[in-house]
Amino acid sequence: MKKVKVAAKKIVTGVIHIRATFNNTFVNVTDIHGNTLYQTSVGLCGFSGSRKSTPYAAGKAAESAAKIAMEKFGMKVVSIIVRGPGFGTEAAVKACQNCGLTITSIADKTAIPHNGCRLKKKRRV
């Protein structure tokens, strides 16, 4: 039996999800329906330790994800969804823009606690 090489689907529009924590940054490329096409993180790009939390590392991770989305899937137009309080959010968005992707919208979906956790029991002396 011959192995048949399957060509990747050509998906013109997609969504890039960027989750930036204080220790790492995750980049997830999906189609419009939310099906994951490619995902990467700063750790997968070769950064380790305290260098993982830098904006430069987040930019490199987003750049590699954007290049693969363009080359492998033919993606040209994306909307970006950003989550988290990390330092790499702006650098990751700029890296996607510099790679040649057309960005239609940038949405910040960071979760905000409404009332927070329940406080500890008051100390009785």
Side-chain angles (χ1 to χ4, degrees), residues 8-72:
K9 291 182 190 175
K10 294 298 176 191
I11 301 168
V12 179
T13 60
V15 182
I16 295 180
H17 299 267
I18 298 168
R19 195 174 105 225
T21 64
F22 289 120
N23 296 322
N24 208 344
T25 301
F26 302 95
V27 182
N28 193 1
V29 180
T30 65
D31 60 3
I32 296 174
H33 305 294
N35 302 320
T36 300
L37 303 173
Y38 181 73
Q39 63 185 7
T40 187
S41 69
V42 173
L44 282 172
C45 292
F47 294 91
S48 62
S50 62
R51 293 186 301 158
K52 286 201 311 187
S53 59
T54 60
Y56 174 76
K60 284 294 180 186
E63 183 181 324
S64 71
K67 282 183 180 176
I68 288 178
M70 289 171 63
E71 292 168 4
K72 192 172 179 184

Side-chain angles (χ1 to χ4, degrees), residues 13-20 25-32 58-59 62-63 65-66 69 75-84 88-110:
T13 60
V15 182
I16 295 180
H17 299 267
I18 298 168
R19 195 174 105 225
T25 301
F26 302 95
V27 182
N28 193 1
V29 180
T30 65
D31 60 3
I32 296 174
E63 183 181 324
M75 203 171 282
K76 294 176 183 166
V77 180
V78 294
S79 61
I80 295 180
I81 296 175
V82 178
R83 289 177 193 267
T89 54
E90 292 176 24
V93 171
K94 282 184 182 178
C96 292
Q97 195 172 16
N98 291 339
C99 282
L101 289 172
T102 305
I103 298 173
T104 56
S105 67
I106 301 170
D108 191 358
K109 301 272 181 137
T110 304

